[in-house]
Amino acid sequence: MGIISKIWTAVRGHATEAGQVVVDANALTILDQEMRDADSEIRKSKDNLAQVMAKRKVASDNLASKKVKLTEYVGYVEAALAKNDEALATEIAGKIAEHEAQVATEEGLIAEYDTSIASIRKSITEAEDRLKRMKVKVDVVKAREHVIKASQVAASANAGANSKVAGALESLERLQASQAERQARIESANELAKDGTDQGLEEKLRAAGIKPGGASAQDVLARFRKPTT
Amino acid sequence: MFERLFGKKPQTPPPSRHGTLPAPLGLHLGAAVRLDSILSKVLGDGRFVLELPEPGTPLLVQAQGTVDLGEGVKLHRFYLDDDWWLQVKVSGAGGEEGEGHDEILLFGFGDVLNPSTQAQFEEIAATIGLPHFEYADKSYARQWGVGSSQSATTDYEERVYPKDDSSYETRHQDMLYAREVTGTSREELLLVSVETDENGSVSVVHSVGMRLERTDLEIT
């Protein structure tokens, strides 16, 4: 594989990853919309079912009506034959034939409606079951998402707290170091001050012709007494 | 009599809804209705007071009436040529436009009484709702109400839309009667209706009819 090809593969890989990230980030929103769409489709299917059932009822009413008419016609054809009214009997018989054919057609139509109704009902039940299972899964995913977010917040807060504690410790250490330094400076300054004071006195004594260092107060006093003897 | 019933001028400005009137079974103003010719031939032998239309005669819808009985139940009436009228009873939204229906009745207008005094009206009204009613030398049994005493009429308002853009309202106080007819499963119906128009004029209208199957009618 050439370099260009590898680079292209890498670019495509990154693009896919980026797309995946976007999709994952909106997965719940997408799922919610998909479930709403599925819900809407199920409602449409139910409307269709209601329409088919209404048509089936009309066909069934028509069939019942035709069967009633058939029975009625049979009575009339018998009455016409009893009266030797062949013309009327033939006309009624023609109507009976017509109605029998229509009854057969209506029965076939009703059977088709029944098949269609059963199929739509099955399809609706299956879709509702799938949607129900999907809703449960999405609820679980949402609950997990909440847990993860809550954990992330907690972890983030903890990290922040740790960071702050570490910072405080550092500050404390810096403060302690600073305090130690300042204390050392004070001590040093005191020392210096002390040294400075003695030195000044020595210089004053030297200026006064008094021998610096080593002599005690009695020695000094003795020297003052000597001229008087 | 048809002219008398539908020639009334409306007193209140009616809502014009001729373009949006329900069309159960495809019935509408101007539609042609044909009754199964076998019925006219078989039942037109004098057994019925009702004299069915000549076989194959198309009857045009001249006016349409609507009655709201409440709880989703409606009556749609279609007034045809030659004093015939059809009533289609529907329930629920599905029956307003499609083939769905609860009942189809065919009536022909019979006698119309116009009592000129209160006493005359009360005399007529005293018989409406009794268990049996005599009409055209036939006895009809009451279909609404029970017991041996007089039953209350069923009261409702009907708005009628003739072919022009007008409409008017009629108050009905009805009682339905029926009798069995030999040699057929079909009963003969008698609807006795006290009708009060928008001017307050009262008439007692007798309509004789029968229940129809959907297949008894050809509607174009």
Side-chain angles (χ1 to χ4, degrees), chain B residues 79-102:
Chain B
Y79 298 97
L80 312 170
D81 292 329
D82 301 334
D83 287 355
W84 292 102
W85 59 281
L86 278 169
Q87 175 175 293
V88 182
K89 184 180 170 190
V90 300
S91 53
E96 293 263 292
E97 296 302 323
E99 286 289 319
H101 62 275
D102 295 342

Side-chain angles (χ1 to χ4, degrees), chain A residues 66-206:
Chain A
K66 285 190 173 89
K67 282 183 172 173
V68 168
K69 288 273 288 183
L70 265 179
T71 309
E72 189 180 11
Y73 281 153
V74 167
Y76 293 157
V77 80
E78 285 169 354
L81 287 172
K83 285 185 199 168
N84 291 321
D85 190 341
E86 283 288 333
L88 183 59
T90 306
E91 189 179 346
I92 299 169
K95 284 276 186 185
I96 289 173
E98 197 180 298
H99 270 66
E100 280 176 345
Q102 287 174 358
V103 163
T105 306
E106 292 279 348
E107 280 176 341
L109 192 65
I110 287 169
E112 282 178 29
Y113 276 132
D114 286 342
T115 307
S116 175
I117 287 166
S119 165
I120 296 172
R121 273 195 172 134
K122 186 167 176 257
S123 163
I124 288 173
T125 307
E126 284 172 358
E128 280 181 334
D129 285 349
R130 275 201 303 275
L131 188 62
K132 216 180 283 177
R133 285 198 298 273
M134 195 172 166
K135 276 179 178 169
V136 169
K137 280 183 183 174
V138 168
D139 284 346
V140 169
V141 169
K142 278 182 178 173
R144 276 189 188 147
E145 193 65 19
H146 285 144
V147 169
I148 288 166
K149 276 184 181 165
S151 301
Q152 278 175 337
V153 168
S156 171
N158 194 32
N162 283 343
S163 167
K164 281 190 168 58
V165 168
L169 281 173
E170 281 176 17
S171 296
L172 185 61
E173 281 173 8
R174 278 198 303 275
L175 186 60
Q176 282 176 331
S178 166
Q179 283 175 340
E181 190 182 330
R182 278 188 291 159
Q183 187 62 34
R185 279 185 192 161
I186 289 165
E187 284 173 7
S188 175
N190 285 342
E191 285 295 319
L192 283 171
K194 188 178 170 185
D195 291 351
T197 304
D198 286 348
Q199 195 178 6
L201 182 61
E202 199 173 317
E203 281 171 5
K204 283 174 188 172
L205 290 170
R206 194 178 291 123

Side-chain angles (χ1 to χ4, degrees), chain A residues 27-38:
Chain A
L28 284 175
T29 310
I30 291 166
L31 271 174
D32 279 341
Q33 187 55 48
E34 282 175 347
M35 283 195 300
R36 278 196 293 275
D37 291 346

Side-chain angles (χ1 to χ4, degrees), chain B residues 8-9 51 61 75 78 86 107-108 124 147 161 196 199 214:
Chain B
K8 300 165 186 168
K9 296 293 175 194
E51 292 176 16
V61 177
L75 302 179
F78 297 89
L86 278 169
F107 285 101
I124 297 166
Y161 301 85
T196 308
N199 298 317
R214 174 65 185 88

Side-chain angles (χ1 to χ4, degrees), chain B residues 90-162:
Chain B
V90 300
S91 53
E96 293 263 292
E97 296 302 323
E99 286 289 319
H101 62 275
D102 295 342
E103 186 181 58
I104 308 170
L105 305 179
L106 172 70
F107 285 101
F109 283 118
D111 295 344
V112 179
L113 308 176
N114 297 105
S116 54
T117 65
Q118 182 66 23
Q120 277 182 0
F121 172 72
E122 284 174 5
E123 189 184 341
I124 297 166
T127 62
I128 302 171
L130 289 176
H132 289 90
F133 195 92
E134 301 297 320
Y135 181 76
D137 298 328
K138 304 285 183 191
S139 180
Y140 294 82
R142 189 181 60 200
Q143 302 297 294
W144 298 337
V146 290
S148 57
S149 58
Q150 189 176 22
S151 289
T153 54
T154 297
D155 302 351
Y156 54 89
E157 308 282 341
E158 178 187 13
R159 182 157 282 277
V160 180
Y161 301 85

